[in-house]
Amino acid sequence: PAVTLAVMCFKDDLSMLTAATYIIAQCAGALVGSLLVMLIFSTAILKYEKDKMLRRGNADGVVSAPGCMFRSPACSSDFAVALLEGLQQAVLTFVIFVVTDSKSAVPNGAAIPLIGLTVAILISVFGPFTCAGFNPARDLAPRIVAYFFGWGVHVFKGCWAYSIGPLAGTFVGALLHGLLYS
């Protein structure tokens, strides 16, 4: 949803209705994907919980929630996560806008590989710190599924950082593109 909002706000390529349709589809896809992860790995999750003596519904048991983004001990606060998530989303949005800009020197057909390479690099760099959430739907959907499968409200701890950070970052990246390419 973050890049979709930036495209709608900064590029005149998407109407509000089309953007809303994309965002609904992205959120629905994230929920379906999260449910599939839960179903596919439920046996392994139960074994992990048993081996580690974890109990769903309490703060310690949340580590077994599939797909949930949690900051590593290297990030001192949720604010630090929001900053890092915002930074990586700003970079991603900037790259997407640059490689798809007609004024760019990027050759035809190179946009998709360059965007994929950017995502791979960002995940490699930021993944160890924040799990590289990028996308608010990608973060929120697994939390919702985990909540309904018994992990409780603990799965929502710090989730604001994985929504506010990328949403702010996408606008920073789009603004930077506008400054450099206008």
Side-chain angles (χ1 to χ4, degrees), residues 70-90:
F70 297 105
R71 65 182 167 91
S72 79
C75 283
S76 58
S77 68
D78 291 335
F79 183 72
V81 169
L83 286 175
L84 289 176
E85 286 288 314
L87 175 61
Q88 58 191 319
Q89 186 62 49

Side-chain angles (χ1 to χ4, degrees), residues 55-134:
R55 195 173 53 97
R56 289 184 194 179
N58 66 28
D60 294 334
V62 78
V63 297
S64 67
C68 291
M69 308 289 133
F70 297 105
R71 65 182 167 91
S72 79
C75 283
S76 58
S77 68
D78 291 335
F79 183 72
V81 169
L83 286 175
L84 289 176
E85 286 288 314
L87 175 61
Q88 58 191 319
Q89 186 62 49
V91 170
L92 178 60
T93 301
F94 178 75
V95 168
I96 290 170
F97 277 37
V98 166
V99 301
T100 60
D101 192 309
S102 60
K103 296 178 226 165
S104 163
V106 173
N108 286 339
I112 292 172
L114 288 172
I115 293 167
L117 181 62
T118 301
V119 169
I121 291 168
L122 290 170
I123 289 171
S124 297
V125 172
F126 293 101
F129 301 104
T130 68
C131 295
F134 294 108

